[in-house]
Amino acid sequence: MNFELPEELSALQQKVRRFIAEEIIPFERDPRRTAHGPSEALRAELIAKGRAAELLSAHVSKEFGGLGLEHRAKAVFFEEAGYSLLGPVALNIAAPDEGNMHLMEVVARPEHKERWLRPLAAGKIRSCFCMTEPTPGAGSDPSMLQTTAVRDGDHYVIDGRKWFTTGADGAAFAIIMAKLEDGRATMFLSDTDRPGFVVERAMDTLDTCFPGGHGVVRLDKLRVPATDILGELGEGFKYAQVRLSPARLTHCMRWLGAARRAHDIATDYARRRHAFGRPLGSHEGVGFMLADNEIDLHSARLAIWHTAWVLDQGHLAIHDSSMSKVLVSEACWRIVDRCVQILGGQGVARETTVAQIFADLRAFRIYDGPSEVHRWSIAKRVLKGIAREA
C-alpha cells in the first residue's frame, strides 16, 4: 500500500491549504455569519474567491466546470477545505449542494443537467434535498415515507411535509422524495418558486454553518411536470444510496478538517499557556488528550481514504461508508470535545473557533444516518456474510 500523495495532488493540497488560511479564515469574524448559516451576500463573496482561485466544485466533472476529482483526491481536498467552517461554502462543496451535484451528474437527464446542475456547479444557485419528514414520516427509516405524488395528466401533484431540509431557505430548486400511488419511491426536481412549495420556517438548531439553515417545508399540491422526474420512476431508494454513500463520506472528509483545526488550536494553546509552573501541555492529563487526538485523527483519515478507494473501484461502498461514518463522526467528536477541555473557559466561549466547531459538529453523529442505525446496518451485513465489497 502506497500512501504517498501524487505530486499533482500534493500541490493541490497545498494550494487549498493556502487559500483557506489566507482568503477564508479572515472571514470567520464576519458579522454576516448568522444563526442560519452565512448570509447570501457573504456566500456570494466567498464563492467569488473560490472561483477566482479556480477551486470551485472539485468533485464535479470538468464538463460542468469542476476539477473532476476522484474520491481519493476529494478526501485530501475536502479535508483542507473543512479546516474552516466557511471553506466548504467558498469552494462550493458544502452539503446539500455537493451531494445533489453528485447525484444529478450520475442520474439526471441532459436537459436537467443544463437547467439545474450547471448553474449549481458554478455556484450561481443553491439547492436542497427534501427527504426527512416529521413523525410519522420518514427519518432514519425511509420506508415510512408519507409524501405522495399523484399523476394528473402531464404533471404529478405532490403533497407532504419535510423538515431538517438543509438550505431550503434561498434554494433555487429542490430534489423531492415522494411515493407514487403504488408505493414506489421516486425523486422529483422542482424549482422552489412554484406555487405549493412553501418554506414554513427555519429551525433553531445547534449548527450554524450551512447556508439557508435547516427548513420546514410544506408541499401543498405542488405540481411538477412529469418530465421533471429525476431518473426513473420508482427508483428513489436506489438513487438515495447513489447520493448518500459518497455524501456521508464527504461529510467525514470536511469534519476531519475541522477537527484538525481544533486540535491545532488546542496544541498551540497547550504550548503557550502555563499552569502550576510549567506549560499546560507538559502535564500528563493534557498531553494524553493531545496524543489521543493524534490517534483519532490518524485512524479517521485512514478509514476515509480506504472508503474513498472502494468508491473509486466502482462499488457503492455501503458497508465501508457506514463504518467510516460511525468511526469518523465519533472520533471527530472526541477530538473537539478534548480540545474544549484543554482550552478551559476559552473552549466554551462562542467567540472562539473551537466552540463554534463543537456546536456545529454535534449534529454529524445524527444526519446521514445516526451511529446506532449504521451499527445496526453493519451488524446485519456481517451476519449475512455480505459485509465486504472489496
Side-chain angles (χ1 to χ4, degrees), residues 110-355:
E111 61 270 25
H112 292 155
K113 293 180 181 180
E114 291 299 325
R115 179 175 173 181
W116 286 301
L117 175 58
R118 191 172 294 281
L120 184 63
K124 295 179 180 178
I125 61 173
R126 288 197 293 103
S127 64
C128 61
F129 187 72
C130 299
M131 183 170 179
T132 304
E133 300 172 340
T135 301
S140 295
D141 182 358
S143 68
M144 296 175 67
L145 188 68
Q146 300 293 305
T147 300
T148 59
V150 178
R151 185 71 183 246
D152 181 22
D154 293 334
H155 289 75
Y156 281 86
V157 179
I158 301 177
D159 286 284
R161 202 154 179 259
K162 306 288 186 177
W163 69 349
F164 291 103
T165 303
T166 305
D169 186 12
F173 75 95
I175 298 174
I176 302 167
M177 181 80 91
K179 64 179 181 181
L180 306 176
E181 291 175 275
D182 61 7
R184 291 182 299 158
T186 300
M187 289 185 179
F188 296 86
L189 291 160
S190 176
D191 294 316
T192 58
D193 60 358
R194 283 181 177 145
F197 189 98
V198 181
V199 180
E200 293 184 340
R201 62 184 175 90
M203 305 175 76
D204 186 13
T205 60
L206 275 176
D207 58 338
T208 61
C209 60
F210 297 104
H214 306 288
V216 177
V217 175
R218 186 175 78 253
L219 305 168
D220 186 4
K221 294 181 174 51
L222 173 68
R223 296 182 65 84
V224 176
T227 53
D228 288 345
I229 292 168
L230 178 56
E232 302 295 330
L233 279 172
E235 299 292 345
F237 289 151
K238 183 177 80 173
Y239 296 154
Q241 289 304 322
V242 170
R243 182 188 187 278
L244 292 174
S245 269
R248 68 174 62 107
L249 189 66
T250 52
H251 274 305
C252 293
M253 299 170 187
R254 290 184 292 257
W255 284 118
L256 178 62
R260 198 183 88 221
R261 172 80 177 284
H263 176 58
D264 287 349
I265 292 170
T267 301
D268 180 63
Y269 183 78
R271 292 191 186 108
R272 294 183 291 103
R273 178 70 166 172
H274 281 66
F276 304 103
R278 53 193 174 121
L280 193 62
S282 67
H283 293 280
E284 192 174 74
V286 174
F288 279 12
M289 285 193 281
L290 294 174
D292 286 339
N293 279 358
E294 283 287 315
I295 293 167
D296 277 338
L297 285 167
H298 183 65
S299 58
R301 187 174 293 112
L302 290 178
I304 291 169
W305 284 14
H306 176 262
T307 303
W309 175 81
V310 173
L311 285 166
D312 283 336
Q313 307 314 301
H315 301 289
L316 278 176
I318 295 172
H319 187 75
D320 295 277
S321 68
S322 283
M323 290 195 297
S324 289
K325 174 61 165 61
V326 174
L327 189 154
V328 177
S329 66
E330 296 185 358
C332 287
W333 175 252
R334 290 192 299 267
I335 291 164
V336 178
D337 184 58
R338 292 186 198 111
C339 292
V340 169
Q341 194 71 15
I342 291 168
L343 290 167
Q346 291 189 51
V348 296
R350 278 275 186 177
E351 61 195 45
T352 69
T353 301
V354 171

Side-chain angles (χ1 to χ4, degrees), residues 40-55:
E40 287 303 311
L42 176 55
R43 175 185 174 273
E45 193 169 343
L46 294 172
I47 287 281
K49 288 188 172 293
R51 184 180 295 114
E54 299 182 337
L55 290 172

Side-chain angles (χ1 to χ4, degrees), residues 14-28 55 77 79-88 90-91 261:
Q14 294 305 313
K15 181 178 181 180
V16 178
R17 185 171 294 182
R18 288 192 302 271
F19 173 78
I20 296 297
E22 297 170 7
E23 301 290 342
I24 303 306
I25 286 178
F27 280 91
E28 290 181 343
L55 290 172
F77 187 103
E79 180 184 337
E80 295 301 328
Y83 198 74
S84 169
L85 293 175
L86 295 175
L91 299 180
R261 172 80 177 284

